[in-house]
Amino acid sequence: MNQIKKLLIIGFVWPEPNSSAAGGRMMQLISIFKQNGFEITFVSAAQDSDFMVDLAEFEVTKKSIELNSTSFDDFVIELNPEVVLFDRFMIEEQFGWRVVEKCPNAIRILDTEDLHCLRTARQKAFKENRAFEIHDLLSEEVAKREIASILRCDLSLIISEFEMNILKDVFKISSDLLFYLPFLVEKMNEEELLKLPSFENRNNFVFIGNFLHEPNWNTVQYLKEAIWPLIKKNFREAVLEVYGAYPSQKVLQLHQPKNGFFIMGRAEDANEVVKKSRVVLAPIRFGAGLKGKLLEAMQCGTPSITTYIGSEGMHEGLVWNGFIEDNPEEFAKKAIALYQNENLWKESQKNGITIINKCYQKNDYSEKLISLTNSLLEDPENHRLHNFMGNLLQHHAYKSTMYMSKWIEAKNKN
């Protein structure tokens, strides 16, 4: 009989799958490991939220932990997990050295969510009104921290093939340390489209996205200031509903019903909102990773229009389920065409199913992840022996994080 393996997940926040794509991805990871016999404990130093998932329903043990405290050391020694998964590089910085010190044999996996250094560098270039260049990453401070974290871990989960290429080509990270793991969904067939609301039974344009995420807020501003006036000019009856968790006062101030621009706030069921909408608008101007809202649109049979950054890494060159357009005038023109042309709309729906079935099949990736994890568990020393830069960083780079944490801990006791 196989011994049950323990997985410890250290979360940046508690999972909120109805608030963000990151929350949905975390629940996908939990599902994969749970289905393969892992006993999972999820811990976080974040405050509880009203919208976090009830982990007990998924047979996952939940525990709150403290930052800069030896109480985590005592906890992890007692739990003695075989695998530790860090939710984003900031968590690995905070707790990775403690895991190495107290559970040196545990396999350390980093879920990057997306490359923060890529998102940060693009955002800086956007605000400085210049084109982003790949070499911007080499001078980005966040990159130094994030790449160090990737090197220190036994394996990093990368959500985008575009980001996989950056890590290998720009930062020269060995492919042995990386695993491509996109969003994972079930296979769809065209017959399932018949079960979804039809073209004539759908209304309005929609945008949906967590407002705590800066690229989403910027997208809504861009829609309001540049895209929507162009759409309304040629399609007076047009209505746009903007949904998103955690809208601030500055977001709510954009609500303008007379102009067909509605700020709707949090969606109780994002899937239902997208299913009843006719077209998703997502003119994203900076960011990284994969856009959960665009995959969700495909699953809901809702065509979308986005930018090249929005579609980046999402469709492997397959025809998009709508249009990809950076020019605002063309974006608006194609949005109207997609909304009004039923044949074009239906063809776009089918393109979305093709993308889902080619790029996001759960079974294609989950089995490989578990196989790779088990392989690391069988011989972690050999794997680490060939990661010299990671060993070097373990020796040196953790020291500043470790002693800063110890200093804060000592200060808190006084």
Side-chain angles (χ1 to χ4, degrees), residues 158-176:
I158 311 301
I159 201 167
S160 161
E161 285 191 326
F162 180 81
E163 295 178 5
M164 284 282 285
N165 292 332
I166 285 177
L167 290 169
K168 290 189 282 190
D169 299 340
V170 178
F171 294 110
K172 311 303 179 186
I173 306 292
S174 168
S175 57
D176 291 341

Side-chain angles (χ1 to χ4, degrees), residues 175-240:
S175 57
D176 291 341
L177 300 178
L178 308 173
F179 182 73
Y180 171 57
L181 189 71
F183 293 126
L184 305 176
V185 299
E186 300 296 335
K187 192 178 181 68
M188 287 186 71
N189 56 61
E190 291 189 12
E191 286 70 32
E192 291 180 63
L193 293 177
L194 300 176
K195 303 174 186 176
L196 297 170
S198 62
F199 175 85
E200 58 270 18
N201 289 325
R202 295 178 183 239
N203 293 291
N204 304 336
F205 294 98
V206 70
F207 172 82
I208 191 163
N210 188 321
F211 287 110
L212 295 179
H213 191 53
E214 182 65 23
N216 287 336
W217 163 232
N218 180 270
T219 298
V220 174
Q221 287 178 296
Y222 186 44
L223 276 166
K224 182 67 164 61
E225 296 165 7
I227 304 289
W228 193 242
L230 293 170
I231 291 176
K232 285 294 283 185
K233 180 181 177 181
N234 295 293
F235 183 21
R236 293 188 177 278
E237 298 80 18
V239 170
L240 171 62

Side-chain angles (χ1 to χ4, degrees), residues 199 205 230-231 234-235 238 278-279 281 303-305 321-323 329-348:
F199 175 85
F205 294 98
L230 293 170
I231 291 176
N234 295 293
F235 183 21
R278 192 175 287 181
V279 175
L281 302 181
S304 67
I305 306 181
N321 73 317
F323 294 105
E329 287 80 13
E330 286 298 314
F331 191 104
K333 187 186 299 183
K334 288 174 179 174
I336 294 170
L338 191 54
Y339 192 96
Q340 296 179 334
N341 186 324
E342 184 173 357
N343 289 333
L344 176 62
W345 189 87
K346 287 182 175 178
E347 193 61 37
S348 297

Side-chain angles (χ1 to χ4, degrees), residues 77-140:
I77 288 171
E78 182 178 355
L79 183 65
N80 193 26
E82 282 84 1
V83 181
V84 178
L85 189 148
F86 303 102
D87 174 22
R88 290 165 256 209
F89 81 90
M90 302 83 81
I91 292 299
E92 189 276 339
E93 283 184 329
Q94 182 66 229
F95 293 99
W97 65 271
R98 293 184 183 275
V99 171
V100 170
E101 192 174 75
K102 304 304 177 184
C103 299
N105 294 323
I107 297 302
R108 300 181 298 277
I109 299 176
L110 172 64
D111 183 30
T112 58
E113 291 289 353
D114 60 31
L115 278 187
H116 291 67
C117 61
L118 177 62
R119 174 152 40 97
T120 302
R122 278 179 167 161
Q123 186 170 341
K124 283 182 181 178
F126 173 80
K127 290 186 174 180
E128 293 168 5
N129 197 27
R130 60 178 176 82
F132 164 77
E133 302 286 348
I134 285 291
H135 67 250
D136 290 343
L137 293 170
L138 298 175
S139 58
E140 177 54 56

Side-chain angles (χ1 to χ4, degrees), residues 5-24:
K5 295 184 282 286
K6 296 178 184 176
L7 166 65
L8 170 64
I9 302 176
I10 310 178
F12 181 69
V13 293
W14 301 107
E16 292 187 25
N18 292 327
S19 299
S20 70

Side-chain angles (χ1 to χ4, degrees), residues 92-93 108 148-154 390 393-394 397-398:
E92 189 276 339
E93 283 184 329
R108 300 181 298 277
S149 181
I150 289 171
L151 286 168
R152 285 191 297 259
C153 288
D154 297 308
L393 286 167
Q394 291 286 3
Y398 263 147

